[in-house]
Amino acid sequence: MTNWSSCRFCQAPLTEPFLDLGMSPLSNAYLRAEQLNHGETFFPLKTFVCGSCFLVQLEAFVSPADIFSDYAYFSSYSESWLQHAETYSNRMACELVLDANSLVVEVASNDGYLLQFFKAQQIPVLGIEPARNVAEVAQRKEIPTIVEFFGENLAHELSATRGKADLLLGNNVLAHVPDIRDFISGLRVLLKPGGIITMEFPHLLKLMEQNQFDTIYHEHFSYLSLNTTSRMFASQGLQIFDVEELPTHGGSLRIHACHNTDTGHLITSRFKSLLNAEQRAGLENLEGYSDFANRVAKTKFELLEFLITAKKQGKTVAAYGAAAKGNTLLNYCGIGPEFIDYVVDRSPHKQGLFLPGSHIPIHPVEHIDVTRPDYLLILPWNLAEEICTDIARIRQWGGRFVISIPEVKVLP
Protein backbone atom coordinates (compact mmCIF):
# COMPACT_ATOMS: atom_id res chain seq x y z
CA MET A 1 0.00 0.00 0.00
CA THR A 2 1.41 3.41 -0.95
CA ASN A 3 2.11 5.79 1.91
CA TRP A 4 0.03 8.95 2.10
CA SER A 5 1.67 12.27 1.22
CA SER A 6 -1.56 14.21 1.71
CA CYS A 7 -4.26 14.32 4.40
CA ARG A 8 -6.65 11.38 4.11
CA PHE A 9 -9.57 13.71 4.78
CA CYS A 10 -8.96 17.13 3.21
CA GLN A 11 -6.08 16.18 0.85
CA ALA A 12 -3.82 19.00 2.09
CA PRO A 13 -0.06 18.18 2.00
CA LEU A 14 1.19 16.39 5.13
CA THR A 15 4.27 18.32 6.19
CA GLU A 16 3.88 18.87 9.95
CA PRO A 17 5.31 16.04 12.12
CA PHE A 18 3.49 15.13 15.34
CA LEU A 19 5.41 12.16 16.77
CA ASP A 20 8.04 9.75 15.41
CA LEU A 21 8.19 6.42 17.29
CA GLY A 22 10.78 4.91 14.97
CA MET A 23 10.39 1.53 13.29
CA SER A 24 7.96 -1.02 14.68
CA PRO A 25 6.34 -4.32 13.63
CA LEU A 26 2.57 -4.62 13.42
CA SER A 27 1.32 -4.51 16.99
CA ASN A 28 -0.76 -7.69 16.73
CA ALA A 29 1.71 -9.71 14.62
CA TYR A 30 2.46 -12.21 17.39
CA LEU A 31 5.11 -14.81 16.67
CA ARG A 32 5.34 -18.57 17.06
CA ALA A 33 8.54 -20.06 18.47
CA GLU A 34 9.69 -21.31 15.06
CA GLN A 35 9.46 -17.76 13.67
CA LEU A 36 11.89 -16.21 16.13
CA ASN A 37 14.96 -16.94 14.01
CA HIS A 38 13.43 -15.55 10.83
CA GLY A 39 13.24 -12.02 9.54
CA GLU A 40 10.57 -9.70 10.91
CA THR A 41 9.10 -6.76 9.02
CA PHE A 42 9.21 -3.33 10.66
CA PHE A 43 7.39 -0.25 9.40
CA PRO A 44 7.79 3.47 10.18
CA LEU A 45 5.56 4.59 13.06
CA LYS A 46 5.49 8.31 12.32
CA THR A 47 2.48 10.58 12.74
CA PHE A 48 1.68 13.93 11.17
CA VAL A 49 -0.86 16.64 11.92
CA CYS A 50 -2.67 18.20 8.98
CA GLY A 51 -2.10 21.95 8.97
CA SER A 52 -5.53 22.49 7.42
CA CYS A 53 -8.05 20.25 9.24
CA PHE A 54 -5.81 19.17 12.18
CA LEU A 55 -6.39 15.47 11.67
CA VAL A 56 -3.49 13.59 13.32
CA GLN A 57 -2.66 10.57 11.19
CA LEU A 58 -0.16 7.90 10.29
CA GLU A 59 1.32 7.45 6.90
CA ALA A 60 -0.33 4.26 5.66
CA PHE A 61 2.42 1.74 4.90
CA VAL A 62 0.24 -1.30 5.62
CA SER A 63 -3.11 -2.25 4.10
CA PRO A 64 -6.12 -2.95 6.33
CA ALA A 65 -6.26 -6.48 4.90
CA ASP A 66 -2.75 -7.16 6.22
CA ILE A 67 -3.73 -5.95 9.69
CA PHE A 68 -7.32 -7.07 10.20
CA SER A 69 -7.98 -10.15 8.06
CA ASP A 70 -6.74 -12.45 10.85
CA TYR A 71 -6.89 -10.65 14.16
CA ALA A 72 -5.62 -11.49 17.66
CA TYR A 73 -7.87 -9.13 19.65
CA PHE A 74 -11.11 -10.54 21.09
CA SER A 75 -13.23 -8.00 22.96
CA SER A 76 -14.89 -10.50 25.27
CA TYR A 77 -11.76 -11.14 27.37
CA SER A 78 -12.17 -7.87 29.29
CA GLU A 79 -14.87 -7.99 31.96
CA SER A 80 -14.97 -4.20 32.28
CA TRP A 81 -15.45 -3.83 28.52
CA LEU A 82 -18.31 -6.33 28.56
CA GLN A 83 -19.96 -4.36 31.35
CA HIS A 84 -19.48 -1.18 29.32
CA ALA A 85 -21.16 -2.83 26.31
CA GLU A 86 -24.09 -4.17 28.34
CA THR A 87 -24.76 -0.81 29.97
CA TYR A 88 -24.72 0.90 26.57
CA SER A 89 -27.03 -1.63 24.93
CA ASN A 90 -29.60 -1.46 27.73
CA ARG A 91 -29.60 2.32 27.65
CA MET A 92 -29.92 2.65 23.87
CA ALA A 93 -32.66 0.01 23.64
CA CYS A 94 -34.65 2.04 26.15
CA GLU A 95 -33.95 5.54 24.80
CA LEU A 96 -34.61 4.62 21.16
CA VAL A 97 -37.49 2.26 21.99
CA LEU A 98 -35.90 -0.54 19.98
CA ASP A 99 -37.95 -3.67 19.44
CA ALA A 100 -38.42 -6.66 17.13
CA ASN A 101 -39.08 -4.29 14.20
CA SER A 102 -35.80 -2.38 14.66
CA LEU A 103 -32.32 -3.09 13.32
CA VAL A 104 -29.06 -2.52 15.18
CA VAL A 105 -25.90 -2.66 13.05
CA GLU A 106 -22.39 -2.62 14.49
CA VAL A 107 -19.37 -1.92 12.31
CA ALA A 108 -16.28 -3.80 13.51
CA SER A 109 -18.45 -6.00 15.72
CA ASN A 110 -15.55 -8.25 16.77
CA ASP A 111 -16.69 -11.43 18.55
CA GLY A 112 -20.24 -10.29 19.23
CA TYR A 113 -19.30 -8.84 22.62
CA LEU A 114 -21.94 -6.05 22.30
CA LEU A 115 -24.60 -7.26 19.87
CA GLN A 116 -25.26 -10.26 22.11
CA PHE A 117 -26.95 -7.91 24.58
CA PHE A 118 -29.33 -6.51 21.96
CA LYS A 119 -30.01 -10.02 20.70
CA ALA A 120 -30.95 -11.11 24.22
CA GLN A 121 -33.68 -8.44 24.12
CA GLN A 122 -35.08 -9.88 20.86
CA ILE A 123 -33.83 -6.88 18.84
CA PRO A 124 -32.58 -7.82 15.33
CA VAL A 125 -28.84 -7.26 14.93
CA LEU A 126 -26.20 -7.38 12.22
CA GLY A 127 -22.46 -7.34 12.71
CA ILE A 128 -19.84 -6.30 10.16
CA GLU A 129 -16.37 -7.64 10.98
CA PRO A 130 -13.42 -7.96 8.54
CA ALA A 131 -11.44 -10.50 10.62
CA ARG A 132 -12.81 -13.91 9.70
CA ASN A 133 -11.37 -15.71 12.73
CA VAL A 134 -13.06 -13.21 15.07
CA ALA A 135 -16.33 -13.11 13.13
CA GLU A 136 -16.62 -16.89 13.37
CA VAL A 137 -16.78 -16.61 17.17
CA ALA A 138 -19.75 -14.23 16.84
CA GLN A 139 -21.41 -16.51 14.32
CA ARG A 140 -21.13 -19.41 16.74
CA LYS A 141 -23.12 -17.24 19.17
CA GLU A 142 -25.78 -17.02 16.43
CA ILE A 143 -25.08 -13.33 15.87
CA PRO A 144 -25.43 -12.60 12.12
CA THR A 145 -22.02 -11.28 11.03
CA ILE A 146 -20.77 -10.30 7.59
CA VAL A 147 -17.04 -10.71 6.96
CA GLU A 148 -16.28 -7.53 5.02
CA PHE A 149 -14.58 -4.16 5.29
CA PHE A 150 -17.15 -1.42 5.64
CA GLY A 151 -17.52 1.44 3.19
CA GLU A 152 -20.03 3.13 0.91
CA ASN A 153 -20.34 0.22 -1.54
CA LEU A 154 -21.13 -2.31 1.18
CA ALA A 155 -23.56 0.16 2.77
CA HIS A 156 -25.54 0.40 -0.48
CA GLU A 157 -25.63 -3.40 -0.74
CA LEU A 158 -26.80 -3.86 2.85
CA SER A 159 -29.40 -1.11 2.56
CA ALA A 160 -30.92 -2.95 -0.40
CA THR A 161 -30.77 -6.46 1.10
CA ARG A 162 -31.00 -6.01 4.88
CA GLY A 163 -32.58 -2.59 5.29
CA LYS A 164 -31.31 0.53 6.99
CA ALA A 165 -30.25 0.78 10.63
CA ASP A 166 -32.24 2.38 13.42
CA LEU A 167 -29.04 2.35 15.46
CA LEU A 168 -25.69 2.24 13.69
CA LEU A 169 -22.69 1.99 15.97
CA GLY A 170 -18.96 1.45 16.00
CA ASN A 171 -16.60 1.18 18.95
CA ASN A 172 -12.93 1.87 18.33
CA VAL A 173 -13.22 1.53 14.56
CA LEU A 174 -13.27 5.12 13.25
CA ALA A 175 -9.54 5.47 13.90
CA HIS A 176 -8.83 2.17 12.13
CA VAL A 177 -9.98 3.06 8.60
CA PRO A 178 -7.57 4.60 6.07
CA ASP A 179 -10.28 5.98 3.77
CA ILE A 180 -12.23 7.75 6.48
CA ARG A 181 -14.28 9.79 3.99
CA ASP A 182 -15.62 6.63 2.33
CA PHE A 183 -16.32 5.07 5.73
CA ILE A 184 -18.39 8.02 6.97
CA SER A 185 -20.21 8.18 3.64
CA GLY A 186 -21.14 4.54 4.20
CA LEU A 187 -22.59 5.41 7.60
CA ARG A 188 -24.83 7.99 5.93
CA VAL A 189 -26.04 5.47 3.36
CA LEU A 190 -26.83 2.74 5.90
CA LEU A 191 -28.57 4.99 8.45
CA LYS A 192 -32.37 5.03 8.37
CA PRO A 193 -34.08 8.46 8.24
CA GLY A 194 -34.58 9.32 11.89
CA GLY A 195 -31.91 6.82 12.93
CA ILE A 196 -28.95 7.44 15.23
CA ILE A 197 -25.21 6.82 14.87
CA THR A 198 -22.94 6.41 17.87
CA MET A 199 -19.19 6.07 17.50
CA GLU A 200 -16.67 5.64 20.30
CA PHE A 201 -13.00 6.44 19.84
CA PRO A 202 -10.03 7.53 21.98
CA HIS A 203 -9.94 11.30 22.36
CA LEU A 204 -6.88 13.04 20.93
CA LEU A 205 -7.04 15.63 23.71
CA LYS A 206 -6.72 12.90 26.36
CA LEU A 207 -3.94 11.20 24.38
CA MET A 208 -1.94 14.41 24.56
CA GLU A 209 -2.85 15.46 28.10
CA GLN A 210 -2.18 12.01 29.56
CA ASN A 211 0.88 11.21 27.41
CA GLN A 212 -0.83 8.16 25.89
CA PHE A 213 1.63 7.77 23.01
CA ASP A 214 1.46 3.98 23.17
CA THR A 215 -2.02 4.12 21.64
CA ILE A 216 -0.26 5.03 18.38
CA TYR A 217 0.24 1.91 16.26
CA HIS A 218 -0.29 0.83 12.68
CA GLU A 219 -3.90 -0.26 13.23
CA HIS A 220 -4.78 3.32 14.20
CA PHE A 221 -4.60 5.40 11.04
CA SER A 222 -6.20 8.47 12.65
CA TYR A 223 -6.21 10.21 16.06
CA LEU A 224 -9.37 12.18 16.48
CA SER A 225 -10.52 15.40 18.10
CA LEU A 226 -14.18 16.37 18.29
CA ASN A 227 -13.65 19.43 16.10
CA THR A 228 -12.06 17.45 13.28
CA THR A 229 -14.54 14.57 13.55
CA SER A 230 -17.46 17.01 13.43
CA ARG A 231 -16.08 18.55 10.22
CA MET A 232 -15.65 15.12 8.65
CA PHE A 233 -19.20 14.04 9.46
CA ALA A 234 -20.64 17.36 8.22
CA SER A 235 -18.84 16.92 4.89
CA GLN A 236 -20.79 13.68 4.36
CA GLY A 237 -24.23 14.98 5.29
CA LEU A 238 -24.21 13.96 8.95
CA GLN A 239 -24.57 16.15 12.04
CA ILE A 240 -22.97 15.37 15.39
CA PHE A 241 -25.41 16.74 17.95
CA ASP A 242 -24.12 15.29 21.22
CA VAL A 243 -20.96 13.86 22.77
CA GLU A 244 -20.16 11.95 25.93
CA GLU A 245 -16.75 11.81 27.58
CA LEU A 246 -16.00 8.25 28.69
CA PRO A 247 -13.22 6.78 30.87
CA THR A 248 -12.63 3.83 28.52
CA HIS A 249 -9.21 3.46 26.87
CA GLY A 250 -7.80 6.25 28.98
CA GLY A 251 -10.41 8.77 27.81
CA SER A 252 -12.77 8.29 24.88
CA LEU A 253 -15.60 10.14 23.19
CA ARG A 254 -18.96 8.72 22.24
CA ILE A 255 -20.48 10.92 19.56
CA HIS A 256 -24.16 10.89 18.64
CA ALA A 257 -25.00 11.80 15.04
CA CYS A 258 -27.94 11.89 12.66
CA HIS A 259 -28.72 12.95 9.10
CA ASN A 260 -28.26 16.70 8.73
CA THR A 261 -31.86 16.84 7.50
CA ASP A 262 -33.09 15.38 10.80
CA THR A 263 -34.43 18.27 12.87
CA GLY A 264 -35.38 16.13 15.85
CA HIS A 265 -32.12 16.59 17.74
CA LEU A 266 -30.85 19.82 19.29
CA ILE A 267 -27.13 20.52 19.57
CA THR A 268 -26.29 19.90 23.23
CA SER A 269 -24.39 22.24 25.50
CA ARG A 270 -21.76 19.58 26.26
CA PHE A 271 -21.01 19.26 22.54
CA LYS A 272 -20.43 23.00 22.29
CA SER A 273 -18.45 23.02 25.54
CA LEU A 274 -16.05 20.31 24.39
CA LEU A 275 -15.46 22.03 21.06
CA ASN A 276 -14.45 25.12 23.01
CA ALA A 277 -12.24 23.10 25.38
CA GLU A 278 -10.30 21.66 22.45
CA GLN A 279 -9.79 25.12 21.03
CA ARG A 280 -8.49 26.41 24.38
CA ALA A 281 -6.07 23.45 24.51
CA GLY A 282 -4.61 24.46 21.15
CA LEU A 283 -5.95 21.64 18.99
CA GLU A 284 -7.08 24.13 16.34
CA ASN A 285 -3.57 25.52 15.73
CA LEU A 286 -0.24 23.83 14.99
CA GLU A 287 1.50 25.31 18.03
CA GLY A 288 -0.69 23.17 20.28
CA TYR A 289 0.97 20.00 18.94
CA SER A 290 4.61 21.07 19.13
CA ASP A 291 5.78 19.86 22.58
CA PHE A 292 4.27 16.37 22.68
CA ALA A 293 7.34 14.56 21.31
CA ASN A 294 9.54 15.92 24.13
CA ARG A 295 7.18 14.56 26.79
CA VAL A 296 7.15 11.15 25.11
CA ALA A 297 10.95 10.96 25.08
CA LYS A 298 11.00 11.79 28.81
CA THR A 299 8.78 8.77 29.55
CA LYS A 300 11.11 6.51 27.56
CA PHE A 301 14.11 7.63 29.59
CA GLU A 302 12.25 7.19 32.90
CA LEU A 303 11.04 3.66 32.08
CA LEU A 304 14.49 2.52 30.99
CA GLU A 305 16.01 4.03 34.12
CA PHE A 306 13.50 2.16 36.32
CA LEU A 307 14.13 -1.17 34.59
CA ILE A 308 17.92 -0.81 34.63
CA THR A 309 17.86 0.01 38.34
CA ALA A 310 15.55 -2.93 39.10
CA LYS A 311 17.75 -5.38 37.23
CA LYS A 312 20.91 -4.06 38.90
CA GLN A 313 19.20 -4.70 42.24
CA GLY A 314 18.50 -8.30 41.20
CA LYS A 315 14.74 -7.76 40.94
CA THR A 316 12.55 -9.72 38.54
CA VAL A 317 10.10 -7.98 36.24
CA ALA A 318 7.14 -9.46 34.35
CA ALA A 319 4.37 -7.70 32.43
CA TYR A 320 0.60 -8.07 32.29
CA GLY A 321 -1.35 -7.84 29.04
CA ALA A 322 -0.10 -8.66 25.55
CA ALA A 323 -1.83 -5.52 24.33
CA ALA A 324 -1.15 -3.60 21.14
CA LYS A 325 -0.32 -0.47 23.14
CA GLY A 326 2.26 -2.46 25.09
CA ASN A 327 3.99 -3.49 21.88
CA THR A 328 4.31 0.15 20.83
CA LEU A 329 5.82 1.01 24.21
CA LEU A 330 8.28 -1.89 24.27
CA ASN A 331 9.50 -1.44 20.71
CA TYR A 332 9.87 2.33 21.02
CA CYS A 333 11.86 1.94 24.23
CA GLY A 334 13.93 -1.01 22.95
CA ILE A 335 12.80 -3.29 25.80
CA GLY A 336 13.14 -7.06 25.43
CA PRO A 337 13.57 -10.22 27.57
CA GLU A 338 16.72 -8.77 29.13
CA PHE A 339 14.42 -6.45 31.09
CA ILE A 340 11.05 -8.25 31.16
CA ASP A 341 11.05 -12.02 31.69
CA TYR A 342 7.61 -12.67 30.23
CA VAL A 343 4.12 -11.21 29.78
CA VAL A 344 0.88 -12.87 30.86
CA ASP A 345 -2.47 -12.58 29.11
CA ARG A 346 -5.96 -13.97 29.66
CA SER A 347 -6.52 -14.71 25.97
CA PRO A 348 -5.68 -18.30 24.97
CA HIS A 349 -5.24 -16.99 21.42
CA LYS A 350 -2.03 -15.24 22.54
CA GLN A 351 -0.66 -17.69 25.09
CA GLY A 352 2.36 -19.65 23.87
CA LEU A 353 3.29 -16.93 21.36
CA PHE A 354 5.86 -14.12 21.53
CA LEU A 355 5.43 -10.36 21.33
CA PRO A 356 6.36 -8.85 17.96
CA GLY A 357 9.72 -7.09 17.90
CA SER A 358 10.61 -7.61 21.56
CA HIS A 359 10.18 -11.43 21.42
CA ILE A 360 9.00 -11.58 25.03
CA PRO A 361 7.13 -14.88 25.67
CA ILE A 362 3.39 -14.83 26.51
CA HIS A 363 2.11 -17.10 29.31
CA PRO A 364 -1.22 -17.68 31.04
CA VAL A 365 -1.92 -15.42 34.01
CA GLU A 366 -1.28 -18.30 36.42
CA HIS A 367 2.42 -18.21 35.48
CA ILE A 368 2.75 -15.24 37.83
CA ASP A 369 2.15 -17.56 40.80
CA VAL A 370 4.95 -19.86 39.63
CA THR A 371 7.69 -17.22 39.30
CA ARG A 372 6.46 -14.58 41.79
CA PRO A 373 8.01 -11.50 40.12
CA ASP A 374 9.04 -8.48 42.18
CA TYR A 375 7.39 -6.08 39.71
CA LEU A 376 4.47 -6.50 37.33
CA LEU A 377 4.39 -3.84 34.60
CA ILE A 378 0.79 -3.28 33.49
CA LEU A 379 0.90 -2.68 29.73
CA PRO A 380 -2.86 -2.00 29.21
CA TRP A 381 -2.73 0.83 31.76
CA ASN A 382 -6.36 1.72 31.00
CA LEU A 383 -7.33 -1.53 32.76
CA ALA A 384 -4.96 -1.01 35.72
CA GLU A 385 -7.73 -0.90 38.34
CA GLU A 386 -9.29 -4.13 37.05
CA ILE A 387 -5.91 -5.86 36.86
CA CYS A 388 -4.74 -4.72 40.29
CA THR A 389 -7.94 -6.16 41.77
CA ASP A 390 -7.74 -9.45 39.87
CA ILE A 391 -4.04 -10.03 40.63
CA ALA A 392 -3.93 -8.43 44.09
CA ARG A 393 -2.31 -11.64 45.38
CA ILE A 394 1.12 -10.57 44.14
CA ARG A 395 1.32 -8.32 47.19
CA GLN A 396 1.43 -11.48 49.35
CA TRP A 397 5.04 -12.06 48.28
CA GLY A 398 5.94 -8.36 48.13
CA GLY A 399 5.21 -7.90 44.44
CA ARG A 400 4.47 -4.38 43.20
CA PHE A 401 2.47 -3.08 40.23
CA VAL A 402 4.05 -0.57 37.84
CA ILE A 403 2.52 1.64 35.14
CA SER A 404 4.33 3.81 32.60
CA ILE A 405 1.49 6.04 31.36
CA PRO A 406 1.04 8.95 31.95
CA GLU A 407 4.32 8.61 33.85
CA VAL A 408 6.40 5.78 35.30
CA LYS A 409 4.99 4.97 38.71
CA VAL A 410 5.15 2.12 41.22
CA LEU A 411 1.61 1.76 42.56
CA PRO A 412 1.01 1.63 46.32
Side-chain angles (χ1 to χ4, degrees), residues 9 21 50 77 144 155 187 204 213 240 248 268 272 377 393 398:
F9 169 58
L21 294 174
C50 175
Y77 287 106
L187 297 178
L204 175 62
F213 68 90
I240 299 176
T248 52
T268 64
K272 297 175 183 177
L377 175 63
R393 62 185 181 275

Side-chain angles (χ1 to χ4, degrees), residues 81 84-85 88 113-114 169-176 197-203 224 244 246 248-249 252-256:
W81 187 242
H84 176 76
Y88 165 87
Y113 74 101
L114 186 149
L169 70 115
N171 291 341
N172 302 305
V173 61
L174 194 58
H176 289 68
I197 295 170
T198 71
M199 290 272 142
E200 294 183 26
F201 50 84
H203 190 193
L224 300 160
E244 300 172 68
L246 307 172
T248 52
H249 298 285
S252 296
L253 299 182
R254 178 190 288 149
I255 58 169
H256 297 245

Side-chain angles (χ1 to χ4, degrees), residues 282-302:
L283 297 193
E284 291 292 283
N285 61 77
L286 289 175
E287 290 76 15
Y289 297 85
S290 60
D291 189 51
F292 187 62
N294 292 331
R295 290 190 281 131
V296 170
K298 182 174 181 287
T299 299
K300 175 178 180 176
F301 303 150
E302 290 176 350

Side-chain angles (χ1 to χ4, degrees), residues 337-400:
E338 72 279 9
F339 287 116
I340 296 178
D341 298 337
Y342 60 86
V343 60
V344 296
D345 198 277
R346 290 179 58 191
S347 173
H349 302 281
K350 297 179 182 179
Q351 295 165 7
L353 302 177
F354 295 79
L355 297 183
S358 65
H359 294 186
I360 296 171
I362 306 171
H363 293 289
V365 174
E366 293 73 22
H367 196 67
I368 294 173
D369 300 287
V370 177
T371 67
R372 298 192 166 195
D374 296 300
Y375 294 107
L376 188 65
L377 175 63
I378 299 175
L379 296 176
W381 43 260
N382 54 299
L383 300 176
E385 184 176 351
E386 175 184 336
I387 293 166
C388 288
T389 300
D390 290 347
I391 317 295
R393 62 185 181 275
I394 75 168
R395 294 191 173 97
Q396 296 174 5
W397 61 77
R400 306 286 298 278

Side-chain angles (χ1 to χ4, degrees), residues 105-353:
V105 179
E106 182 179 13
V107 182
S109 52
N110 202 266
D111 58 7
Y113 74 101
L114 186 149
L115 291 180
Q116 63 183 337
F117 298 115
F118 285 109
K119 183 175 184 292
Q121 299 180 66
Q122 309 302 313
I123 299 169
V125 299
L126 176 65
I128 303 169
E129 171 55 52
R132 183 172 298 278
N133 64 315
V134 179
E136 287 173 351
V137 175
Q139 291 165 346
R140 287 197 291 271
K141 298 176 185 176
E142 298 185 347
I143 296 171
T145 305
I146 296 172
V147 184
E148 294 281 355
F149 286 97
F150 183 75
E152 185 175 351
N153 287 339
L154 179 60
H156 280 295
E157 178 184 330
L158 294 178
S159 295
T161 59
R162 305 289 186 109
K164 294 181 181 288
D166 297 271
L167 173 62
L168 179 55
L169 70 115
N171 291 341
N172 302 305
V173 61
L174 194 58
H176 289 68
V177 292
D179 193 345
I180 199 163
R181 187 179 290 270
D182 177 69
F183 182 90
I184 297 173
S185 178
L187 297 178
R188 173 184 50 78
V189 170
L190 191 53
L191 183 66
K192 180 182 292 185
I196 295 295
I197 295 170
T198 71
M199 290 272 142
E200 294 183 26
F201 50 84
H203 190 193
L204 175 62
L205 180 60
K206 293 298 183 183
L207 184 155
M208 297 173 66
E209 289 180 341
Q210 299 296 317
N211 196 32
Q212 298 167 357
F213 68 90
D214 57 347
T215 60
I216 296 174
Y217 40 92
H218 296 103
E219 294 174 18
H220 290 171
F221 294 105
S222 302
Y223 303 84
L224 300 160
S225 68
L226 180 60
N227 274 281
T228 295
T229 305
S230 183
R231 285 191 288 266
M232 291 191 297
F233 270 64
S235 75
Q236 301 304 310
L238 295 168
Q239 170 70 59
I240 299 176
F241 62 87
D242 194 12
V243 62
E244 300 172 68
E245 294 185 85
L246 307 172
T248 52
H249 298 285
S252 296
L253 299 182
R254 178 190 288 149
I255 58 169
H256 297 245
C258 61
H259 289 289
N260 61 9
T261 55
D262 186 346
T263 60
H265 303 280
L266 298 177
I267 305 297
T268 64
S269 58
R270 60 183 175 182
F271 173 77
K272 297 175 183 177
S273 176
L274 190 52
L275 290 179
N276 292 332
E278 289 185 347
Q279 291 173 350
R280 290 193 301 271
L283 297 193
E284 291 292 283
N285 61 77
L286 289 175
E287 290 76 15
Y289 297 85
S290 60
D291 189 51
F292 187 62
N294 292 331
R295 290 190 281 131
V296 170
K298 182 174 181 287
T299 299
K300 175 178 180 176
F301 303 150
E302 290 176 350
L303 180 57
L304 286 170
E305 182 179 5
F306 166 79
L307 291 171
I308 290 170
T309 300
K311 301 304 282 190
K312 283 183 175 180
Q313 294 173 346
K315 304 294 186 181
T316 55
V317 183
Y320 188 104
K325 57 170 55 74
N327 289 325
T328 291
L329 175 75
L330 298 174
N331 282 291
Y332 169 63
C333 295
I335 295 170
E338 72 279 9
F339 287 116
I340 296 178
D341 298 337
Y342 60 86
V343 60
V344 296
D345 198 277
R346 290 179 58 191
S347 173
H349 302 281
K350 297 179 182 179
Q351 295 165 7
L353 302 177

Side-chain angles (χ1 to χ4, degrees), residues 72-89:
Y73 179 75
F74 291 76
S75 296
S76 292
Y77 287 106
S78 170
E79 290 298 328
S80 61
W81 187 242
L82 285 176
Q83 292 170 8
H84 176 76
E86 184 174 15
T87 299
Y88 165 87
S89 61

